[in-house]
């Protein structure tokens, strides 16, 4: 299959990429956008005005599209329906509703404007959580691609629940019951997404994740950020229900496939990243434990203390990301504790509020990753060949954590003791198991094998690269038909 630059007579397609406006959704969709630009397509990336402001602020006031990495991607904004001085809110129902109603209107106006500029939109790639975008695409007669930011396993689990196809074993009790889903290993209830567990406190989110399937069949394409070699059984078993094309792992190209050496950072940070690379370079003789819980989870003071004391007792160097987003009641306590902790461990570790994670994971000083198992962090750990210690918090992280330990065998899970709290001894012991023991050697070996396979999927002619090519050619075919 030839690339687009070998077919000059074809007008370049214009793809609009629209992620849910949060870090974990913007990152993979921006990486996909960059892949499309490399295939010589025009790409417009959509976000909200509020998020755009944050991106600019996080990059010291430099508009995101003028930084090298995003220079070929046009960034356009829509309204999220909230006033600029609106306080941060956790009312997910309200956020999603305003985005759909007000954001939807401004998105329609934007599509009209883009079309009127003479570079008609050829396809809209929309985040699976924004299924109303597909209705707008239909209204304009534009083909659309549903983009899943989760693993195919999680996608399949949600689909089976949505379709009422899950029968729990009658003996299901205390989270130990077996749930059988074709193509997946046997799951306990505690391996499922927190939204599917009886303790779920986020009913609107469960509705949103299940609702993504209500109109999925109307999308022209279904794309997933995974790769065939990683989730073959999961992809095949769902193939007769939903045909998903894997196009990942979507991490900055320079660190994996090398197709685009300039792509060294995702370029969509919502917090200002600390420059910790020089610090890491001083640690070559003592490999570093990297600790991060992603962009959403906020750990309780108790959890922070147990992790801190476990890290310190392990005596390994560490780099720890703690976003300063605690409740007012906890803020002072945590701040005081961390101040003392940082002073005591000055020679051992560094605590930052955000970092360029993919560069950190690929740094030669990196020893292991203590992660919450967000899907991006999971793929980034596999793509970097790093062993991991998992400490899942909510959402799909429990399922990812199970796969890491039992299926891909690149890590171990922290055992939760009382009320989901992990003790400092367990943290220390688990870090030592990975950093010092035979088990750690095996985990690293497995992780490096996954890194090789991830790279193979993304290099020219690899399984994911072929799927991206196929998508591009089908978009072109639909342009010529229109
Ligand atoms: N990330 C980062 N710097 C940090 C922490 C996280 O760049 O200090 C990035 C990370 O590389 C990943 C994303 O933020 O791409 C987090 O997504 P993930 O799915 O792992 O977790 P979520 O934030 O959605 O819980």
């Amino acid at each position: 299959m030839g690339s687009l630059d070998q077919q000059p007579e074809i007008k370049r397609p214009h793809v609009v990429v629209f992620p849910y406006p949060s870090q974990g959704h913007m990152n993979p969709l921006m990486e996909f956008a960059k892949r499309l630009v490399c295939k010589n397509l025009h790409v417009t990336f959509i976000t909200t005005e509020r998020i755009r402001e944050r991106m600019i602020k996080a990059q010291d006031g430099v508009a995101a599209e003028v930084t090298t990495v995003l220079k070929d991607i046009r960034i356009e904004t829509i309204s999220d329906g909230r006033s600029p001085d609106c306080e941060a809110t956790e009312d997910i129902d309200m956020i999603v509703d305003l985005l759909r109603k007000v954001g939807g209107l401004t998105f329609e106006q934007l599509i009209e404007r883009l079309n009127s500029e003479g570079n008609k939109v050829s396809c809209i790639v929309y985040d699976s959580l924004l299924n109303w975008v597909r209705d707008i695409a239909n209204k304009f007669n534009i083909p659309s691609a549903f983009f899943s930011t989760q693993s195919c396993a999680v996608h399949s689990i949600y689909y089976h629940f949505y379709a009422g196809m899950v029968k729990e074993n009658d003996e299901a009790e205390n989270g130990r019951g077996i749930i059988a889903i074709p193509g997946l290993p046997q799951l306990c209830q505690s391996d499922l997404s927190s939204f599917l567990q009886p303790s779920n406190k986020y009913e609107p989110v469960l509705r949103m994740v299940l609702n993504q399937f209500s109109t999925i069949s109307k999308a022209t394409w279904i794309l997933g950020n995974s790769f065939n070699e990683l989730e073959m059984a999961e992809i095949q078993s769902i193939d007769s229900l939903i045909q998903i094309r894997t196009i990942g792992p979507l991490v900055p190209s320079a660190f994996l496939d090398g197709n685009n050496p300039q792509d060294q950072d995702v370029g969509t940070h919502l917090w200002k990243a600390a420059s910790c690379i020089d610090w890491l370079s001083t640690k070559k003789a003592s490999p570093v434990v990297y600790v991060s819980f992603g962009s959403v989870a906020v750990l309780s003071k108790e959890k922070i203390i147990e992790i801190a004391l476990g890290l310190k007792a392990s005596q390994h160097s560490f780099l720890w990301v703690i976003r300063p987003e605690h409740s007012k009641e906890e803020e002072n306590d945590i701040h005081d504790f961390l101040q003392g902790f940082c002073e005591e461990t000055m020679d051992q570790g560094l605590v930052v509020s955000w970092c360029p994670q993919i560069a950190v994971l690929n740094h030669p000083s990196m020893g292991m990753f203590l992660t919450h198992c967000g899907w991006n962090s999971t793929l980034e750990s596999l793509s970097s060949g790093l062993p991991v210690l998992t400490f899942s918090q909510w959402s799909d992280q429990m399922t990812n954590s199970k796969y890491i330990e039992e299926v891909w065998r690149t890590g171990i899970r922290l055992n939760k003791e009382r009320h989901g709290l992990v003790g400092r001894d367990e943290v220390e012991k688990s870090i030592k198991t990975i950093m010092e023991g035979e088990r750690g050697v095996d985990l690293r070996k497995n992780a490096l094998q996954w890194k090789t396979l991830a790279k193979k999927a993304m290099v020219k002619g690899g399984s994911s690269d072929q799927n991206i090519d196929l998508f591009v050619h089908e978009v072109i075919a639909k342009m010529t038909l229109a």
Side-chain angles (χ1 to χ4, degrees):
M1 194 176 292
S3 73
L4 200 59
D5 44 13
Q6 292 165 312
Q7 304 172 18
E9 73 283 1
I10 298 173
K11 194 167 171 9
R12 282 166 75 191
H14 178 190
V15 177
V16 165
V17 175
F18 192 167
Y20 184 83
S22 71
Q23 190 77 72
H25 289 249
M26 288 160 61
N27 287 9
L29 276 133
M30 180 56 90
E31 283 305 323
F32 185 54
K34 292 178 196 168
R35 257 63 183 195
L36 297 179
V37 167
C38 277
K39 307 262 179 206
N40 209 15
L41 273 66
H42 284 299
V43 179
T44 300
F45 185 87
I46 311 294
T47 192
T48 63
E49 286 145 13
R50 186 184 311 270
I51 290 285
R52 172 102 175 88
E53 285 303 310
R54 279 186 64 183
M55 279 169 69
I56 293 174
K57 218 162 128 194
Q59 321 214 99
D60 272 343
V62 180
E65 70 269 32
V66 300
T67 63
T68 331
V69 70
L70 305 184
K71 74 177 181 342
D72 296 320
I73 296 172
R74 173 170 174 173
I75 297 183
E76 289 283 352
T77 57
I78 58 159
S79 164
D80 61 8
R82 291 183 277 151
S83 62
D85 51 355
C86 170
E87 296 255 314
T89 171
E90 290 201 350
D91 186 342
I92 297 167
D93 249 352
M94 185 195 89
I95 294 176
V96 170
D97 203 45
L98 280 173
L99 188 62
R100 180 172 58 81
K101 287 190 183 136
V102 185
L105 267 181
T106 53
F107 182 61
E108 282 192 37
Q109 289 159 1
L110 175 63
I111 296 293
E112 271 164 14
R113 175 158 65 79
L114 294 174
N115 279 347
S116 70
E117 284 172 1
N119 187 9
K120 275 188 75 175
V121 177
S122 334
C123 170
I124 300 177
V125 178
Y126 67 96
D127 193 301
S128 56
L129 295 183
L130 303 175
N131 63 7
W132 50 267
V133 174
R134 200 220 51 261
D135 296 335
I136 296 176
N138 279 6
K139 188 169 159 188
F140 284 89
N141 216 5
I142 300 171
S144 59
F146 169 108
F147 186 108
S148 165
T149 56
Q150 299 187 314
S151 75
C152 296
V154 170
H155 192 70
S156 172
I157 295 171
Y158 280 141
Y159 181 78
H160 280 82
F161 271 88
Y162 163 77
M165 290 158 73
V166 177
K167 290 206 176 29
E168 264 183 56
N169 183 316
D170 291 343
E171 289 157 31
E173 250 176 40
N174 305 326
R176 304 308 309 161
I178 301 301
I179 293 151
I181 295 189
L184 273 67
Q186 286 198 333
L187 302 165
C188 298
Q189 198 160 61
S190 54
D191 297 326
L192 297 177
S193 157
S194 61
F195 306 134
L196 294 169
Q197 299 194 21
S199 55
N200 177 34
K201 289 185 282 204
Y202 301 95
E203 195 53 38
V205 184
L206 176 62
R207 254 184 286 127
M208 188 161 76
V209 292
L210 296 185
N211 195 27
Q212 60 182 309
F213 297 106
S214 61
T215 52
I216 190 171
S217 58
K218 293 191 184 143
T220 321
W221 299 274
I222 300 169
L223 307 175
N225 184 17
S226 185
F227 55 109
N228 287 353
E229 292 77 358
L230 187 70
E231 295 197 277
M232 188 63 86
E234 288 75 9
I235 296 163
Q236 280 175 353
S237 72
I238 204 172
D239 204 48
S240 61
L241 305 165
I242 301 173
Q243 283 185 341
I244 192 158
R245 270 188 212 165
T246 49
I247 40 115
L250 290 164
V251 302
S253 172
F255 291 110
L256 189 60
D257 45 83
N259 292 341
N260 178 9
Q262 269 100 50
D263 181 18
Q264 299 189 8
D265 185 81
V266 66
T268 45
H269 295 291
L270 298 180
W271 291 265
K272 188 167 161 39
S275 49
C276 43
I277 302 298
D278 288 348
W279 180 86
L280 280 176
S281 300
T282 66
K283 296 288 173 192
K284 284 204 178 105
S286 76
V288 174
V289 179
Y290 171 60
V291 187
S292 164
F293 290 84
S295 63
V296 182
V298 178
L299 267 54
S300 65
K301 184 183 158 203
E302 286 74 24
K303 281 184 185 170
I304 289 184
I305 291 175
E306 296 304 314
I307 292 172
L309 298 180
L311 275 172
K312 185 177 165 197
S314 79
Q315 296 187 352
H316 285 285
S317 303
F318 64 86
L319 171 63
W320 186 0
V321 178
I322 306 182
R323 298 186 334 277
E325 284 170 27
H326 291 90
S327 65
K328 288 270 179 289
E329 303 85 69
E330 282 203 319
E331 208 166 279
N332 289 341
D333 272 7
I334 291 178
H335 180 265
D336 290 348
F337 170 78
L338 283 176
Q339 199 169 17
F341 174 74
C342 290
E343 277 162 19
E344 283 167 33
T345 55
M346 208 185 314
D347 296 331
Q348 189 187 351
L350 183 65
V351 176
V352 298
S353 33
W354 193 253
C355 78
Q357 179 162 303
I358 193 76
V360 163
L361 293 175
N362 281 278
H363 194 280
S365 298
M366 202 35 58
M368 60 168 272
F369 185 8
L370 167 48
T371 171
H372 70 311
C373 304
W375 183 235
N376 295 297
S377 294
T378 301
L379 283 179
E380 289 162 14
S381 73
L382 290 168
S383 308
S384 311
L386 274 184
V388 299
L389 179 56
T390 78
F391 191 6
S392 54
Q393 303 296 310
W394 75 322
S395 184
D396 59 336
Q397 295 155 20
M398 286 72 174
T399 317
N400 299 339
S401 167
K402 180 190 171 78
Y403 266 77
I404 286 172
E405 186 177 71
E406 295 179 18
V407 180
W408 304 319
R409 298 179 185 279
T410 62
I412 54 176
R413 284 187 270 200
L414 269 176
N415 284 321
K416 289 177 193 169
E417 290 164 1
R418 293 156 289 123
H419 314 298
L421 189 60
V422 166
R424 61 198 74 175
D425 295 346
E426 167 77 6
V427 174
E428 176 193 352
K429 192 183 84 198
S430 306
I431 291 174
K432 286 183 169 163
T433 300
I434 297 180
M435 296 291 277
E436 300 168 17
E438 273 305 300
R439 182 92 194 268
V441 175
D442 285 346
L443 297 173
R444 187 179 306 276
K445 212 161 80 191
N446 291 341
L448 284 169
Q449 282 172 355
W450 284 117
K451 176 179 176 163
T452 306
L453 290 173
K455 184 172 174 172
K456 204 167 148 212
M458 287 307 277
V459 292
K460 285 207 179 356
S463 58
S464 293
D465 183 65
Q466 279 189 30
N467 281 342
I468 299 174
D469 274 346
L470 189 61
F471 168 71
V472 169
H473 282 264
E474 288 175 0
V475 170
I476 295 168
K478 290 198 178 289
M479 278 168 72
T480 46
L481 284 178

